[in-house]
Structures are given as structure tokens and as C-alpha cells.
PDB file of all heavy atoms in Angstrom:
ATOM      1  N   ASN A   1      13.349  31.695   5.619  1.00  0.00           N
ATOM      2  CA  ASN A   1      11.999  31.159   5.814  1.00  0.00           C
ATOM      3  C   ASN A   1      11.977  29.649   5.588  1.00  0.00           C
ATOM      4  O   ASN A   1      11.330  28.901   6.332  1.00  0.00           O
ATOM      5  CB  ASN A   1      11.023  31.841   4.852  1.00  0.00           C
ATOM      6  CG  ASN A   1      10.239  32.957   5.510  1.00  0.00           C
ATOM      7  OD1 ASN A   1       9.969  32.904   6.709  1.00  0.00           O
ATOM      8  ND2 ASN A   1       9.872  33.949   4.736  1.00  0.00           N
ATOM      9  N   VAL A   2      12.661  29.195   4.544  1.00  0.00           N
ATOM     10  CA  VAL A   2      12.704  27.758   4.257  1.00  0.00           C
ATOM     11  C   VAL A   2      13.415  27.012   5.387  1.00  0.00           C
ATOM     12  O   VAL A   2      12.955  25.952   5.837  1.00  0.00           O
ATOM     13  CB  VAL A   2      13.403  27.508   2.906  1.00  0.00           C
ATOM     14  CG1 VAL A   2      13.569  26.014   2.662  1.00  0.00           C
ATOM     15  CG2 VAL A   2      12.605  28.138   1.778  1.00  0.00           C
ATOM     16  N   MET A   3      14.519  27.547   5.867  1.00  0.00           N
ATOM     17  CA  MET A   3      15.270  26.874   6.934  1.00  0.00           C
ATOM     18  C   MET A   3      14.485  26.842   8.243  1.00  0.00           C
ATOM     19  O   MET A   3      14.459  25.823   8.941  1.00  0.00           O
ATOM     20  CB  MET A   3      16.619  27.578   7.134  1.00  0.00           C
ATOM     21  CG  MET A   3      17.544  27.436   5.947  1.00  0.00           C
ATOM     22  SD  MET A   3      19.042  28.411   6.110  1.00  0.00           S
ATOM     23  CE  MET A   3      19.782  28.161   4.496  1.00  0.00           C
ATOM     24  N   VAL A   4      13.834  27.936   8.571  1.00  0.00           N
ATOM     25  CA  VAL A   4      12.995  27.949   9.773  1.00  0.00           C
ATOM     26  C   VAL A   4      11.866  26.938   9.628  1.00  0.00           C
ATOM     27  O   VAL A   4      11.526  26.209  10.579  1.00  0.00           O
ATOM     28  CB  VAL A   4      12.435  29.368  10.020  1.00  0.00           C
ATOM     29  CG1 VAL A   4      11.381  29.347  11.121  1.00  0.00           C
ATOM     30  CG2 VAL A   4      13.556  30.322  10.406  1.00  0.00           C
ATOM     31  N   GLY A   5      11.262  26.865   8.447  1.00  0.00           N
ATOM     32  CA  GLY A   5      10.193  25.891   8.221  1.00  0.00           C
ATOM     33  C   GLY A   5      10.658  24.464   8.416  1.00  0.00           C
ATOM     34  O   GLY A   5       9.931  23.632   8.980  1.00  0.00           O
ATOM     35  N   MET A   6      11.871  24.147   7.985  1.00  0.00           N
ATOM     36  CA  MET A   6      12.405  22.799   8.165  1.00  0.00           C
ATOM     37  C   MET A   6      12.609  22.480   9.648  1.00  0.00           C
ATOM     38  O   MET A   6      12.309  21.373  10.103  1.00  0.00           O
ATOM     39  CB  MET A   6      13.720  22.657   7.409  1.00  0.00           C
ATOM     40  CG  MET A   6      13.606  22.708   5.897  1.00  0.00           C
ATOM     41  SD  MET A   6      12.630  21.330   5.218  1.00  0.00           S
ATOM     42  CE  MET A   6      11.033  22.134   4.967  1.00  0.00           C
ATOM     43  N   VAL A   7      13.130  23.436  10.399  1.00  0.00           N
ATOM     44  CA  VAL A   7      13.335  23.222  11.835  1.00  0.00           C
ATOM     45  C   VAL A   7      12.005  23.000  12.547  1.00  0.00           C
ATOM     46  O   VAL A   7      11.851  22.093  13.373  1.00  0.00           O
ATOM     47  CB  VAL A   7      14.093  24.411  12.453  1.00  0.00           C
ATOM     48  CG1 VAL A   7      14.161  24.274  13.977  1.00  0.00           C
ATOM     49  CG2 VAL A   7      15.508  24.507  11.887  1.00  0.00           C
ATOM     50  N   VAL A   8      11.006  23.821  12.209  1.00  0.00           N
ATOM     51  CA  VAL A   8       9.691  23.687  12.848  1.00  0.00           C
ATOM     52  C   VAL A   8       9.042  22.359  12.468  1.00  0.00           C
ATOM     53  O   VAL A   8       8.453  21.667  13.317  1.00  0.00           O
ATOM     54  CB  VAL A   8       8.791  24.877  12.445  1.00  0.00           C
ATOM     55  CG1 VAL A   8       7.377  24.681  12.975  1.00  0.00           C
ATOM     56  CG2 VAL A   8       9.372  26.178  12.980  1.00  0.00           C
ATOM     57  N   THR A   9       9.137  21.974  11.213  1.00  0.00           N
ATOM     58  CA  THR A   9       8.565  20.697  10.768  1.00  0.00           C
ATOM     59  C   THR A   9       9.169  19.526  11.525  1.00  0.00           C
ATOM     60  O   THR A   9       8.452  18.649  12.033  1.00  0.00           O
ATOM     61  CB  THR A   9       8.810  20.509   9.261  1.00  0.00           C
ATOM     62  OG1 THR A   9       8.187  21.578   8.543  1.00  0.00           O
ATOM     63  CG2 THR A   9       8.240  19.182   8.791  1.00  0.00           C
ATOM     64  N   CYS A  10      10.486  19.489  11.609  1.00  0.00           N
ATOM     65  CA  CYS A  10      11.164  18.402  12.321  1.00  0.00           C
ATOM     66  C   CYS A  10      10.789  18.380  13.790  1.00  0.00           C
ATOM     67  O   CYS A  10      10.598  17.307  14.380  1.00  0.00           O
ATOM     68  CB  CYS A  10      12.681  18.541  12.168  1.00  0.00           C
ATOM     69  SG  CYS A  10      13.286  18.273  10.489  1.00  0.00           S
ATOM     70  N   THR A  11      10.682  19.552  14.401  1.00  0.00           N
ATOM     71  CA  THR A  11      10.354  19.618  15.829  1.00  0.00           C
ATOM     72  C   THR A  11       8.957  19.087  16.100  1.00  0.00           C
ATOM     73  O   THR A  11       8.745  18.288  17.012  1.00  0.00           O
ATOM     74  CB  THR A  11      10.475  21.065  16.325  1.00  0.00           C
ATOM     75  OG1 THR A  11      11.796  21.547  16.078  1.00  0.00           O
ATOM     76  CG2 THR A  11      10.181  21.145  17.817  1.00  0.00           C
ATOM     77  N   ILE A  12       7.987  19.520  15.301  1.00  0.00           N
ATOM     78  CA  ILE A  12       6.597  19.096  15.526  1.00  0.00           C
ATOM     79  C   ILE A  12       6.453  17.592  15.333  1.00  0.00           C
ATOM     80  O   ILE A  12       5.857  16.890  16.172  1.00  0.00           O
ATOM     81  CB  ILE A  12       5.654  19.871  14.587  1.00  0.00           C
ATOM     82  CG1 ILE A  12       5.569  21.334  15.026  1.00  0.00           C
ATOM     83  CG2 ILE A  12       4.265  19.235  14.570  1.00  0.00           C
ATOM     84  CD1 ILE A  12       4.701  22.184  14.143  1.00  0.00           C
ATOM     85  N   TYR A  13       7.014  17.058  14.256  1.00  0.00           N
ATOM     86  CA  TYR A  13       6.872  15.623  14.040  1.00  0.00           C
ATOM     87  C   TYR A  13       7.684  14.824  15.048  1.00  0.00           C
ATOM     88  O   TYR A  13       7.274  13.729  15.445  1.00  0.00           O
ATOM     89  CB  TYR A  13       7.292  15.245  12.625  1.00  0.00           C
ATOM     90  CG  TYR A  13       7.096  13.769  12.369  1.00  0.00           C
ATOM     91  CD1 TYR A  13       5.814  13.252  12.193  1.00  0.00           C
ATOM     92  CD2 TYR A  13       8.173  12.883  12.354  1.00  0.00           C
ATOM     93  CE1 TYR A  13       5.614  11.896  11.996  1.00  0.00           C
ATOM     94  CE2 TYR A  13       7.975  11.533  12.154  1.00  0.00           C
ATOM     95  CZ  TYR A  13       6.702  11.044  11.977  1.00  0.00           C
ATOM     96  OH  TYR A  13       6.503   9.703  11.802  1.00  0.00           O
ATOM     97  N   ALA A  14       8.820  15.357  15.495  1.00  0.00           N
ATOM     98  CA  ALA A  14       9.620  14.662  16.502  1.00  0.00           C
ATOM     99  C   ALA A  14       8.844  14.523  17.804  1.00  0.00           C
ATOM    100  O   ALA A  14       8.867  13.467  18.452  1.00  0.00           O
ATOM    101  CB  ALA A  14      10.930  15.400  16.741  1.00  0.00           C
ATOM    102  N   PHE A  15       8.144  15.574  18.210  1.00  0.00           N
ATOM    103  CA  PHE A  15       7.339  15.486  19.422  1.00  0.00           C
ATOM    104  C   PHE A  15       6.279  14.398  19.298  1.00  0.00           C
ATOM    105  O   PHE A  15       6.063  13.610  20.229  1.00  0.00           O
ATOM    106  CB  PHE A  15       6.669  16.835  19.716  1.00  0.00           C
ATOM    107  CG  PHE A  15       7.620  17.875  20.240  1.00  0.00           C
ATOM    108  CD1 PHE A  15       7.250  19.206  20.293  1.00  0.00           C
ATOM    109  CD2 PHE A  15       8.880  17.530  20.687  1.00  0.00           C
ATOM    110  CE1 PHE A  15       8.117  20.165  20.784  1.00  0.00           C
ATOM    111  CE2 PHE A  15       9.759  18.476  21.172  1.00  0.00           C
ATOM    112  CZ  PHE A  15       9.368  19.806  21.218  1.00  0.00           C
ATOM    113  N   TYR A  16       5.609  14.357  18.153  1.00  0.00           N
ATOM    114  CA  TYR A  16       4.578  13.333  17.949  1.00  0.00           C
ATOM    115  C   TYR A  16       5.187  11.933  17.985  1.00  0.00           C
ATOM    116  O   TYR A  16       4.719  11.048  18.698  1.00  0.00           O
ATOM    117  CB  TYR A  16       3.870  13.567  16.611  1.00  0.00           C
ATOM    118  CG  TYR A  16       3.054  12.381  16.168  1.00  0.00           C
ATOM    119  CD1 TYR A  16       1.795  12.148  16.699  1.00  0.00           C
ATOM    120  CD2 TYR A  16       3.548  11.467  15.220  1.00  0.00           C
ATOM    121  CE1 TYR A  16       1.045  11.046  16.301  1.00  0.00           C
ATOM    122  CE2 TYR A  16       2.811  10.389  14.816  1.00  0.00           C
ATOM    123  CZ  TYR A  16       1.555  10.172  15.362  1.00  0.00           C
ATOM    124  OH  TYR A  16       0.829   9.085  14.984  1.00  0.00           O
ATOM    125  N   GLY A  17       6.255  11.725  17.210  1.00  0.00           N
ATOM    126  CA  GLY A  17       6.836  10.389  17.126  1.00  0.00           C
ATOM    127  C   GLY A  17       7.416   9.918  18.449  1.00  0.00           C
ATOM    128  O   GLY A  17       7.239   8.751  18.828  1.00  0.00           O
ATOM    129  N   LEU A  18       8.108  10.803  19.157  1.00  0.00           N
ATOM    130  CA  LEU A  18       8.764  10.391  20.409  1.00  0.00           C
ATOM    131  C   LEU A  18       7.763  10.130  21.521  1.00  0.00           C
ATOM    132  O   LEU A  18       7.904   9.185  22.294  1.00  0.00           O
ATOM    133  CB  LEU A  18       9.782  11.456  20.830  1.00  0.00           C
ATOM    134  CG  LEU A  18      11.000  11.579  19.923  1.00  0.00           C
ATOM    135  CD1 LEU A  18      11.801  12.830  20.254  1.00  0.00           C
ATOM    136  CD2 LEU A  18      11.888  10.351  20.071  1.00  0.00           C
ATOM    137  N   PHE A  19       6.750  10.968  21.630  1.00  0.00           N
ATOM    138  CA  PHE A  19       5.741  10.749  22.673  1.00  0.00           C
ATOM    139  C   PHE A  19       4.827   9.563  22.344  1.00  0.00           C
ATOM    140  O   PHE A  19       4.319   8.897  23.244  1.00  0.00           O
ATOM    141  CB  PHE A  19       4.903  12.015  22.883  1.00  0.00           C
ATOM    142  CG  PHE A  19       5.562  13.030  23.761  1.00  0.00           C
ATOM    143  CD1 PHE A  19       6.223  14.113  23.207  1.00  0.00           C
ATOM    144  CD2 PHE A  19       5.538  12.924  25.142  1.00  0.00           C
ATOM    145  CE1 PHE A  19       6.841  15.058  24.002  1.00  0.00           C
ATOM    146  CE2 PHE A  19       6.144  13.860  25.942  1.00  0.00           C
ATOM    147  CZ  PHE A  19       6.799  14.937  25.374  1.00  0.00           C
ATOM    148  N   HIS A  20       4.623   9.317  21.049  1.00  0.00           N
ATOM    149  CA  HIS A  20       3.713   8.240  20.641  1.00  0.00           C
ATOM    150  C   HIS A  20       4.417   6.881  20.589  1.00  0.00           C
ATOM    151  O   HIS A  20       3.878   5.874  21.070  1.00  0.00           O
ATOM    152  CB  HIS A  20       3.121   8.580  19.268  1.00  0.00           C
ATOM    153  CG  HIS A  20       2.191   7.541  18.748  1.00  0.00           C
ATOM    154  ND1 HIS A  20       1.070   7.128  19.439  1.00  0.00           N
ATOM    155  CD2 HIS A  20       2.198   6.830  17.591  1.00  0.00           C
ATOM    156  CE1 HIS A  20       0.434   6.199  18.751  1.00  0.00           C
ATOM    157  NE2 HIS A  20       1.096   6.004  17.614  1.00  0.00           N
ATOM    158  N   LYS A  21       5.615   6.859  20.021  1.00  0.00           N
ATOM    159  CA  LYS A  21       6.305   5.593  19.800  1.00  0.00           C
ATOM    160  C   LYS A  21       7.670   5.512  20.456  1.00  0.00           C
ATOM    161  O   LYS A  21       8.270   4.432  20.531  1.00  0.00           O
ATOM    162  CB  LYS A  21       6.483   5.352  18.308  1.00  0.00           C
ATOM    163  CG  LYS A  21       5.208   5.040  17.556  1.00  0.00           C
ATOM    164  CD  LYS A  21       4.745   3.633  17.838  1.00  0.00           C
ATOM    165  CE  LYS A  21       3.594   3.252  16.944  1.00  0.00           C
ATOM    166  NZ  LYS A  21       3.172   1.861  17.195  1.00  0.00           N
ATOM    167  N   GLY A  22       8.199   6.637  20.876  1.00  0.00           N
ATOM    168  CA  GLY A  22       9.556   6.618  21.408  1.00  0.00           C
ATOM    169  C   GLY A  22      10.611   6.572  20.337  1.00  0.00           C
ATOM    170  O   GLY A  22      11.773   6.256  20.607  1.00  0.00           O
ATOM    171  N   GLU A  23      10.239   6.867  19.101  1.00  0.00           N
ATOM    172  CA  GLU A  23      11.176   6.870  17.989  1.00  0.00           C
ATOM    173  C   GLU A  23      10.674   7.818  16.916  1.00  0.00           C
ATOM    174  O   GLU A  23       9.521   8.254  16.933  1.00  0.00           O
ATOM    175  CB  GLU A  23      11.370   5.470  17.413  1.00  0.00           C
ATOM    176  CG  GLU A  23      10.079   4.854  16.882  1.00  0.00           C
ATOM    177  CD  GLU A  23      10.285   3.436  16.386  1.00  0.00           C
ATOM    178  OE1 GLU A  23      11.412   2.944  16.518  1.00  0.00           O
ATOM    179  OE2 GLU A  23       9.334   2.854  15.866  1.00  0.00           O
ATOM    180  N   ILE A  24      11.545   8.128  15.978  1.00  0.00           N
ATOM    181  CA  ILE A  24      11.189   9.060  14.909  1.00  0.00           C
ATOM    182  C   ILE A  24      11.144   8.275  13.592  1.00  0.00           C
ATOM    183  O   ILE A  24      12.048   7.511  13.303  1.00  0.00           O
ATOM    184  CB  ILE A  24      12.219  10.200  14.810  1.00  0.00           C
ATOM    185  CG1 ILE A  24      12.224  10.988  16.112  1.00  0.00           C
ATOM    186  CG2 ILE A  24      11.884  11.118  13.650  1.00  0.00           C
ATOM    187  CD1 ILE A  24      13.332  12.005  16.188  1.00  0.00           C
TER     188      ILE A  24
END
């Protein structure tokens, strides 16, 4: 559960950062 949560967290924030700024 902890590992899945880390993957989901990184994915969601990566989408925001990359689409908004082009960087993480």
C-alpha cells in the first residue's frame, strides 16, 4: 500500500508539473 501510494503521488504531481512548467 505504501509503495503504490508513492507511485501514485509521483505520477499525479508529475503530470501537474510537466504540463504546467515542463519540469518537476
Side-chain angles (χ1 to χ4, degrees):
N1 261 329
V2 175
M3 293 174 186
V4 171
M6 293 296 99
V7 173
V8 174
T9 300
C10 293
T11 302
I12 289 178
Y13 182 74
F15 286 167
Y16 166 80
L18 292 169
F19 279 99
H20 179 57
K21 290 285 188 178
E23 60 183 3
I24 298 172

